Amino acid sequence: MIKTLLVDDEKWTRETIKQFGKWQEYGIEAIEEAADGQEGLKLIEQWSPDIVITDMKMPGVDGMELLRIVAERFPQIKLIVASGYDDFHYMRQAIRSKANEYLLKPINANELNLTLEKCVKEIHHQSRQQLTPFSFLNKDISTLLMDYKKPIISFLDELNTEGFENAMERFFNELKEVDGIDNHALAKIEHEFILILEAQMIKNDCNVQEVYKNEELSYDSGLSLELIMKKHQDLGKRYVEYMLQVKKRKGRVDLQEIKEYIERNFTESHLSLDVLANKFFVSKEYLSKAFKAMYECNITEYIVSRRMEYAKKLIEANELQIKSIAQMAGYEDLSYFYRVFKKYFKISPGEMRQG
């Protein structure tokens, strides 16, 4: 059963889409509605839709924010934008989030159904390709995977090939000592690693075909742990090499690009001046001074301000627990989040929620 979520603050638009869609013809048997992005996110977490059709301009969590979060946390969901605004910034976010289509209001029934048909075909194709990557792993394998994901992501972020290769080698060496490594576990590990690379490419606006040409990135059954490690290391190294070439071609520091990168990634807990300096091949001192000269605040202040304004928006929506909001804003330490929040707004998160 394919499920679709409609997110739009205008009820008549939701009704129009429901009326125009050839839902039964495409095997879409369940439709839910949300009046804004916050409600939409809640339903996505609870209901796990296959397709999300969203407006862009909404109160609270708008379509820009919804697309960004869904692309980062639920990359398997097919995204369709239905907006009354032919706006470059909206379209750019839609592209970054890999939206399947950007439909302009008033909605055209034929365009809507062509897009729905395309999404459904992709869903069926992906379903046929899945071997069993979503089966549960035993506790030891899951814990090991969780422990190593963060350092692997950090090394890829820093374009640190040596650190990445060493982290992968340590992970697989420890994996050899764990019982219960079967084909299901190997498929799951491959799937998790592809998701890491996919997230990196989304963050950096990379086209997978440019990074890996026309090679098929598929699961190879029957490979030993050693060969799987070599395969993963090769995929990661080629991503790093591609990003290094991109940076060399640019040849100079683009502060606007750095600012846009922060906008896309400020909820990542490891984002910092050090990470940005390494990523964009510039000294911390120069980057800090240049950024402050152009934007009248240093990079750390800017990251904090984006996180705090985002946290404020979520708190005022009054849907999520403060702990969840802290994590979504990039803070793993709840007490530290409270201190930063109170310093920034002069009141605690709880006091803000109480009004």
Side-chain angles (χ1 to χ4, degrees):
M1 178 179 70
I2 295 176
K3 301 184 288 187
T4 296
L5 174 64
L6 310 180
V7 186
D8 199 302
D9 58 327
E10 297 174 334
K11 184 174 177 58
W12 67 269
T13 299
R14 303 198 302 270
E15 292 299 324
T16 299
I17 292 173
K18 286 197 295 183
Q19 182 180 350
F20 282 170
K22 298 179 181 179
W23 310 107
Q24 291 184 345
E25 182 176 329
Y26 300 131
I28 300 173
E29 301 175 22
I31 301 174
E32 288 284 349
E33 300 177 46
D36 56 51
Q38 186 63 44
E39 184 182 351
L41 283 173
K42 190 174 180 181
L43 276 170
I44 288 168
E45 291 179 345
Q46 295 174 349
W47 193 55
S48 300
D50 303 286
I51 301 170
V52 171
I53 304 175
T54 182
D55 188 17
M56 292 301 276
K57 195 169 184 178
M58 296 180 289
V61 176
D62 61 10
M64 293 268 286
E65 197 70 19
L66 179 66
L67 288 177
R68 189 181 66 78
I69 293 172
V70 171
E72 289 179 359
R73 297 175 55 195
F74 311 98
Q76 76 281 5
I77 292 177
K78 304 300 172 188
L79 295 168
I80 302 171
V81 175
S83 174
Y85 296 88
D86 187 5
D87 183 277
F88 169 73
H89 295 291
Y90 288 162
M91 288 186 173
R92 183 171 61 179
Q93 184 61 55
I95 292 169
R96 285 175 175 163
S97 303
K98 295 189 175 180
N100 288 68
E101 192 56 79
Y102 193 105
L103 303 175
L104 287 173
K105 298 178 182 178
I107 299 299
N108 177 285
N110 187 49
E111 290 179 355
L112 171 65
N113 285 303
L114 285 173
T115 303
L116 288 173
E117 183 180 16
K118 177 185 173 185
C119 289
V120 169
K121 285 181 178 178
E122 288 185 10
I123 291 167
H124 287 319
H125 178 69
Q126 290 171 354
S127 180
R128 287 193 297 270
Q129 285 191 325
Q130 290 170 358
L131 294 172
T132 46
F134 298 106
S135 57
F136 283 101
L137 298 174
N138 71 42
K139 182 179 177 182
D140 291 338
I141 301 173
S142 294
T143 301
L144 189 61
L145 190 58
M146 289 170 64
D147 286 345
Y148 274 94
K149 279 177 74 173
K150 283 189 178 181
I152 286 170
I153 291 169
S154 294
F155 286 129
L156 288 173
D157 260 341
E158 296 168 5
L159 304 181
N160 183 339
T161 302
E162 184 179 357
F164 164 74
E165 286 187 302
N166 290 339
M168 291 293 289
E169 194 161 341
R170 289 195 301 272
F171 168 68
F172 277 94
N173 284 338
E174 290 193 42
L175 196 61
K176 291 175 186 176
E177 307 300 319
V178 177
D179 293 329
I181 303 293
D182 56 15
N183 285 336
H184 295 318
L186 294 178
K188 172 71 172 177
I189 290 165
E190 289 237 36
H191 178 73
E192 288 290 332
F193 184 69
I194 291 299
L195 287 180
I196 289 172
L197 284 179
E198 185 178 43
Q200 291 297 117
M201 285 185 270
I202 289 172
K203 285 196 295 187
N204 293 288
D205 287 333
C206 294
N207 184 326
V208 67
Q209 295 301 328
E210 291 181 9
V211 181
Y212 298 110
K213 310 305 178 188
N214 292 317
E215 300 172 25
E216 187 160 351
L217 303 175
S218 57
Y219 170 64
D220 298 321
S221 60
L223 292 183
S224 66
L225 270 177
E226 189 72 23
L227 288 176
I228 290 174
M229 180 188 74
K230 296 298 184 187
K231 175 184 174 182
H232 288 186
Q233 285 180 323
D234 181 59
L235 292 175
K237 282 171 62 179
R238 286 160 62 192
Y239 162 77
V240 171
E241 288 167 1
Y242 172 82
M243 290 303 301
L244 289 173
Q245 290 173 3
V246 169
K247 300 307 173 188
K248 285 179 182 177
R249 286 198 299 268
K250 291 186 176 178
R252 64 184 181 86
V253 177
D254 186 337
L255 292 174
Q256 180 61 32
E257 181 188 11
I258 293 173
K259 186 169 180 283
E260 289 176 1
Y261 182 85
I262 295 172
E263 290 291 334
R264 294 196 304 271
N265 299 290
F266 67 85
T267 58
E268 298 289 337
S269 60
H270 66 276
L271 188 66
S272 67
L273 175 60
D274 284 352
V275 168
L276 291 167
N278 288 330
K279 186 172 189 61
F280 290 93
F281 300 94
V282 62
S283 72
K284 293 187 295 182
E285 294 75 15
Y286 174 79
L287 178 56
S288 183
K289 289 179 182 178
F291 193 92
K292 188 165 187 176
M294 178 170 283
Y295 299 111
E296 299 182 345
C297 68
N298 66 42
I299 282 182
T300 301
E301 291 169 344
Y302 187 70
I303 293 172
V304 168
S305 70
R306 291 297 291 116
R307 288 174 174 173
M308 290 297 100
E309 294 302 328
Y310 178 53
K312 177 184 177 184
K313 186 186 296 186
L314 296 177
I315 287 170
E316 290 176 341
N318 205 25
E319 293 286 343
L320 299 170
Q321 294 181 354
I322 302 295
K323 182 179 180 180
S324 297
I325 291 172
Q327 292 173 341
M328 290 174 68
Y331 295 94
E332 297 178 356
D333 185 330
L334 182 59
S335 62
Y336 181 64
F337 168 74
Y338 268 88
R339 291 199 300 274
V340 175
F341 191 96
K342 190 160 187 178
K343 182 178 179 181
Y344 188 86
F345 289 112
K346 309 305 180 187
I347 58 173
S348 71
E351 289 170 335
M352 178 175 284
R353 172 160 283 177
Q354 292 170 4

